Amino acid sequence: KGEKDTNLATLSCYSINNTLKFSAGHIYLTSENIYFTYTKGRELWIRYPYNPYVRYRIILAWHLEKRAANLSILASRDFVASVETWDGGMPLDDGVNPVTGDIWVVGFYYERNWTWHTLLVIFDKDLNVKRVVDFREGVYGYMGSATGVCFSESGEGYVSGNFGIAKFDKDGNLLLFKELNSTTTKVACVKDSVFVFAGVSINDATWVHVLYTLDKDLNLVARKVLGNSTSFLFLWSRPLFDGRRLYAVGYNAPGYVDRYVADYYWYKLYVIPVGEVVRTVVRVVDGAGNPLPGLYVKAVSGSVSLVNTTEASGAAVFSGIVPGEVLVYDRGGLLVGRFYVPSTNFTAV
């Protein structure tokens, strides 16, 4: 963790030492805490039900940590769905439900007989298990590895997987499941749309990167080919939305040692405008209605803000943002006014 200046002075640094750490970690930040999930080697001896003298060691358990802003650990836990059947597993994404505050972690696990399970585990803020949602191979809702999760503003969860996407209510009850003719890997929720980043196989060794746009009930709205690949994509990244555009990082593997092992990877950043570009005009005038050029205007929408100066007409033009708040500064940088949208009442300060 470093400061946000060019010095990048280290504030806190922790190493994670564990046996047989297997997967890259996934981090989700809230205003107060950091949630970190990864796969951890764990020694756990159990007895076979049919032979009490034989013991077996589980080596790949889910591991979760809750840390403070200074990276000090507040809580941690290992998780396995069943000590009798679990042979290994991996968490592949996590997120915090905006309505309940619960942490949703999605991934997979497999039994000793190689039966695979799609797994969603819901934890409270202190990492206590609230619900386990387990779809075994062959049952409705099974999607291979669950690889992505996002939420609507009302708390419905959308979970993407290898074979499709599912919609859950805020408590983790399955509402809808839809198969897609692709390998689904990551998902992003933006207003009333669900964006699914996936790979579609062209032949045995070539894939294309595809973006599906779905409505909130998983009906297909649009399908767009983003680019070519020769491997899966978007597995470790998480799509981000800045209020105007979606950003997603995938990878391809153009060079192969053999059919399955790539000798190098190329990473691709996709920047995708979402919806039509909105044009907002803010006009600043004095009490007599005369335009005030040369003032600084800041348009704010959620965590996104843009700054522009007023023209000779007193207008400052913004593209791609519908502000909820507008701040006006004089030429010396002093805040002179603020108003909130849709209210047009200007508050002088």
Side-chain angles (χ1 to χ4, degrees):
K1 179 186 177 187
E3 294 178 346
K4 293 182 179 179
D5 59 23
T6 55
N7 296 324
L8 290 180
T10 300
L11 300 178
S12 302
C13 181
Y14 289 84
S15 63
I16 299 173
N17 298 314
N18 56 268
T19 306
L20 293 176
K21 180 175 178 293
F22 187 74
S23 75
H26 300 272
I27 296 176
Y28 193 92
L29 305 178
T30 68
S31 60
E32 299 177 348
N33 299 305
I34 302 168
Y35 294 96
F36 183 36
T37 61
Y38 59 93
T39 302
K40 177 182 179 181
R42 174 188 176 190
E43 291 188 350
L44 178 61
W45 294 93
I46 63 173
R47 297 188 183 279
Y48 283 110
Y50 51 84
N51 189 338
Y53 300 103
V54 177
R55 297 187 300 176
Y56 185 82
R57 189 181 74 169
I58 296 174
I59 60 171
L60 293 177
W62 287 16
H63 183 75
L64 295 87
E65 295 177 358
K66 175 183 177 181
R67 293 179 178 265
N70 65 358
L71 300 186
S72 61
I73 193 163
L74 302 176
S76 68
R77 69 170 299 133
D78 292 336
F79 175 83
V80 295
S82 170
V83 294
E84 287 79 18
T85 60
W86 184 291
D87 190 42
M90 187 183 298
L92 293 174
D93 203 7
D94 52 41
V96 176
N97 190 303
V99 174
T100 65
D102 294 332
I103 300 96
W104 289 33
V105 183
V106 299
F108 70 92
Y109 78 95
Y110 50 87
E111 302 178 24
R112 290 189 293 273
N113 62 4
W114 287 100
T115 299
W116 283 63
H117 295 248
T118 301
L119 191 59
L120 159 65
V121 186
I122 301 176
F123 301 87
D124 66 16
K125 295 178 181 180
D126 296 318
L127 305 186
N128 299 305
V129 176
K130 294 185 66 174
R131 183 164 188 178
V132 177
V133 183
D134 187 334
F135 298 106
R136 191 174 185 268
E137 271 185 79
V139 305
Y140 180 77
Y142 174 75
M143 63 182 83
S145 301
T147 51
V149 61
C150 69
F151 300 94
S152 68
E153 294 178 354
S154 53
E156 290 89 3
Y158 293 85
V159 176
S160 60
N162 287 345
F163 311 132
I165 183 170
K167 177 182 178 180
F168 298 85
D169 68 15
K170 62 182 178 60
D171 298 314
N173 298 303
L174 179 63
L175 301 177
L176 294 169
F177 174 69
K178 186 169 186 177
E179 294 184 356
L180 295 175
N181 184 26
S182 62
T183 294
T184 305
T185 50
K186 289 299 178 183
V187 63
C189 298
V190 180
K191 297 181 180 179
D192 292 329
S193 297
V194 180
F195 296 92
V196 180
F197 295 88
V200 176
S201 176
I202 301 302
N203 52 52
D204 192 41
T206 302
W207 296 69
V208 292
H209 300 176
V210 175
L211 173 62
Y212 293 96
T213 304
L214 310 178
D215 66 19
K216 59 184 180 181
D217 293 321
L218 305 184
N219 298 306
L220 181 64
V221 176
R223 178 183 182 276
K224 179 179 178 61
V225 175
L226 299 176
N228 294 326
S229 174
T230 53
S231 181
F232 298 112
L233 73 161
F234 304 114
L235 184 58
W236 304 115
S237 65
R238 178 182 293 137
L240 297 176
F241 179 61
D242 69 354
R244 296 176 295 162
R245 301 178 180 89
L246 269 175
Y247 299 84
V249 176
Y251 67 86
N252 65 359
Y256 272 76
V257 175
D258 57 35
R259 180 179 175 185
Y260 297 106
V261 180
D263 57 357
Y264 62 94
Y265 291 90
W266 286 358
Y267 288 86
K268 293 184 177 181
L269 170 64
Y270 294 106
V271 182
I272 303 158
V274 175
E276 298 180 359
V277 177
V278 178
R279 186 171 180 266
T280 301
V281 179
V282 178
R283 191 164 183 264
V284 183
V285 297
D286 62 17
N290 300 311
L292 297 175
L295 300 182
Y296 298 98
V297 179
K298 182 178 183 179
V300 181
S301 177
S303 61
V304 179
S305 62
L306 297 175
V307 177
N308 207 342
T309 55
T310 55
E311 302 170 351
S313 63
V317 181
F318 301 90
S319 296
I321 188 172
V322 179
E325 181 182 14
V326 174
L327 308 174
V328 180
Y329 301 84
D330 65 15
R331 295 173 181 84
L334 179 67
L335 179 65
V336 296
R338 173 191 287 118
F339 69 91
Y340 298 91
V341 180
S343 172
T344 57
N345 296 324
F346 184 84
T347 302
V349 297

